[in-house]
Amino acid sequence: MLLIPLSLLFILLLACFVRFGFFGRIPSASTLKKIKNPVASEIYSSDGQLLGKYYLENRTNISFDLFPGHMIDALIATEDVRFFKHSGLDWRALIRVGLRTILLQDRSGGGGSTITQQLAKNIFGRKNHFVFTVPVNKMREIFIAKRLEKVYSKEEIIELYLNTIPFGHNFYGLEVASRRYFGKSASRLRPEESATLIG
């Protein structure tokens, strides 16, 4: 019986340590407002043909209105069904993960991270804190996600997310992935192609 209150006390203390920067500073709202994804520099010929790119991360950012509606629907259905109802943290998903995945050892239940938490992970990465690595990084992502939700609209968060997600081989964002795998801009993807990239 003592295990549950001790576990809750541990989680609370760890959350306080994370919140107040013991494991690294949480980015401020003003820092979050200045997020800029690095993009590739593209070299074109005089007749408009792409000759090559220079980049640290192969990415081409596009605006929210260029992502097809079916792509947004696929993203939300796959990653965060309550995206428009929460403010960065989905308590229902978190409780489901705690009960189903951790207590019952059932890995088929899916994760508990929201799109905003995944965005925080993609932008700020994860650090090694030895035995505390997973709980510390998850808590940092929760705190950053809560701040992101105060700074950006839901549409801006989706835009940042879709321009940030990695696809391996130094491909970042759906525009580059779409051109690489389907030979066309993300705005021209068909529903089944969007589902392939998102799923």
Side-chain angles (χ1 to χ4, degrees), residues 98-110:
L99 294 176
R100 190 169 175 177
T101 308
I102 297 171
L103 288 179
L104 300 176
Q105 297 295 302
D106 179 2
R107 303 285 178 200
S108 66

Side-chain angles (χ1 to χ4, degrees), residues 94-135:
L94 205 57
I95 291 167
R96 184 197 69 236
V97 168
L99 294 176
R100 190 169 175 177
T101 308
I102 297 171
L103 288 179
L104 300 176
Q105 297 295 302
D106 179 2
R107 303 285 178 200
S108 66
S113 293
T114 63
I115 287 171
T116 319
Q117 286 170 256
Q118 292 176 50
L119 174 62
K121 177 184 76 174
N122 289 340
I123 292 175
F124 296 102
R126 288 183 165 173
K127 296 186 173 100
N128 185 356
H129 300 288
F130 304 101
V131 296
F132 299 112
T133 295
V134 172

Side-chain angles (χ1 to χ4, degrees), residues 126-185:
R126 288 183 165 173
K127 296 186 173 100
N128 185 356
H129 300 288
F130 304 101
V131 296
F132 299 112
T133 295
V134 172
V136 166
N137 282 313
K138 288 285 188 184
M139 285 181 189
R140 277 182 55 81
E141 288 158 16
I142 288 170
F143 287 121
I144 294 170
K146 298 290 279 180
R147 286 190 181 169
L148 283 166
E149 292 268 351
K150 290 178 182 173
V151 171
Y152 294 102
S153 69
K154 292 288 189 179
E155 290 75 16
E156 289 169 329
I157 288 169
I158 288 176
E159 179 182 315
L160 272 171
Y161 179 85
L162 290 176
N163 282 316
T164 303
I165 52 177
F167 285 90
H169 308 290
N170 208 13
F171 300 136
Y172 291 89
L174 278 172
E175 179 66 11
V176 168
S178 174
R179 290 185 182 278
R180 170 65 177 89
Y181 296 115
F182 296 106
K184 57 178 146 181
S185 173

Side-chain angles (χ1 to χ4, degrees), residues 68-75 78 182 184 186-199:
H70 55 76
M71 181 180 289
I72 308 299
D73 294 342
L75 172 67
T78 305
F182 296 106
K184 57 178 146 181
S187 64
R188 295 176 50 231
L189 287 174
R190 296 193 306 269
E192 63 274 15
E193 294 167 335
S194 292
T196 299
L197 288 175
I198 296 294

